[in-house]
Amino acid sequence: MSVRLRRVICGVAIVAAAVTTLLAATLSAPASAAPVTALLDPAAVKALIDGRAALGLPAEVADYGVDEQSGRLVVELTGSRTPAVDALLSGVDPNVLDVRTDAPAPRHHAAAVKGGDTIISGSRRCTLGFAATARGRTWLLTAGHCTRGSGTWSVETAGDVLTPIGSQARTASAGTDVGVVPVTGSGVQVRGLVGSVAVRGSTPAAVGSPVCLYGSTSGRVCGTVTGLDRTVNFEGTIQYGMTATSICSAEGDSGGPYITSSGQAQGIHSGGGTGRGCTSYLTPIGPALSAFGLRLLTS
């Protein structure tokens, strides 16, 4: 091959490389090089921004969409406009945009957990009692015969959706039918409520006082306190220091909270008897909390 021919081939290669570089630069040029006017087709602007959003949205953007009346792209920001937002909107005709600030930041709502909710672990179905705290951690009280040997617990919310609460539940020593589940699920928001009643304290109710049980099977059922400091024989399992009530309960109510109309927590449901009327038994809230060194969560 002659020297002249080699020079020609080399020159062609250089020109081709330059054209390729120029073409790549043109294709990757910022959108500002060609402003997008979409007043006649507002969906085109949104499609453009959607394509950019697929690579990541600035944290300041709450939402955006086309306003049907004005035909402009409304962009809601949680704060002021930043360079990242400018980059997202680059190349779009300002007349097409309506950028607004100080919008609330959207968040997914966590499962709101409260006393009386149904909690499930495998084939076990019990009731959530009260929420309590200790050492910067939140715990949920229920019956000890529910937590003994259990695995991961979930709470049943609207639409029979199960949201994980946590695992590694603890059970009090024999004679006290109380267990606790640590709240480790990220989608759980614990409230100091029993049903719609705010938990205000834990003043014990006297014999004859009205009290209500919230069970996952029975719902809200009410009666009166009929006895204090009872030793109860649950089919050979002895429980001490229990409070007796005239409330009728059912399977699945175990662990449910007893509370007064003024929001005073009374205790955790253990079981009941049938026959002449109804009798239900609860572990008083004081011993239930002290068994684990917990503090009642109030509203």
Side-chain angles (χ1 to χ4, degrees):
M1 182 183 296
S2 67
V3 174
R4 176 175 294 181
L5 180 59
R6 283 198 299 270
R7 287 177 178 174
V8 170
I9 294 174
C10 182
V12 170
I14 292 173
V15 171
V19 170
T20 300
T21 301
L22 179 60
L23 179 60
T26 301
L27 293 175
S28 62
S32 57
V36 178
T37 303
L39 286 173
L40 298 179
D41 183 14
V45 172
K46 185 174 185 298
L48 172 71
I49 303 303
D50 281 344
R52 295 175 180 175
L55 302 177
L57 269 177
E60 300 81 9
V61 177
D63 72 63
Y64 61 87
V66 176
D67 182 89
E68 297 296 333
Q69 293 184 341
S70 67
R72 303 174 75 189
L73 184 75
V74 176
V75 182
E76 298 277 4
L77 304 178
T78 58
S80 58
R81 185 164 175 166
T82 63
V85 174
D86 289 338
L88 176 71
L89 303 177
S90 65
V92 178
D93 191 321
N95 293 320
V96 181
L97 294 173
D98 181 4
V99 180
R100 304 172 184 177
T101 58
D102 298 324
R107 289 183 175 83
H108 287 297
H109 291 299
V113 176
K114 60 187 182 303
D117 285 348
T118 299
I119 54 175
I120 294 174
S121 177
S123 61
R124 307 183 189 198
R125 181 174 68 87
C126 291
T127 304
L128 189 156
F130 295 96
T133 59
R135 297 172 292 280
R137 199 171 193 181
T138 301
W139 300 79
L140 302 178
L141 279 75
T142 188
H145 67 267
C146 291
T147 56
R148 188 172 290 108
S150 64
T152 298
W153 285 90
S154 299
V155 62
E156 187 176 271
T157 55
D160 296 331
V161 175
L162 293 179
T163 300
I165 298 172
S167 57
Q168 298 182 337
R170 299 181 184 179
T171 305
S173 58
T176 304
D177 188 27
V178 178
V180 291
V181 180
V183 178
T184 57
S186 59
V188 175
Q189 181 184 55
V190 180
R191 297 180 177 179
L193 295 173
V194 169
S196 60
V197 179
V199 180
R200 299 300 188 191
S202 56
T203 301
V207 172
S209 299
V211 67
C212 293
L213 163 66
Y214 288 72
S216 64
T217 300
S218 300
R220 177 180 178 271
V221 285
C222 301
T224 59
V225 175
T226 58
L228 304 174
D229 194 21
R230 296 296 180 88
T231 299
V232 184
N233 180 12
F234 288 103
E235 300 176 299
T237 299
I238 309 303
Q239 305 292 338
Y240 301 95
M242 306 201 82
T243 296
T245 76
S246 63
I247 292 173
C248 298
S249 58
E251 297 288 338
D253 291 340
S254 293
Y258 287 79
I259 193 168
T260 66
S261 59
S262 62
Q264 298 301 309
Q266 297 303 302
I268 302 297
H269 180 69
S270 187
T274 59
R276 295 175 300 173
C278 293
T279 302
S280 289
Y281 300 96
L282 62 108
T283 300
I285 191 65
L289 293 169
S290 62
F292 302 97
L294 300 176
R295 181 178 180 180
L296 183 67
L297 179 66
T298 58
S299 293

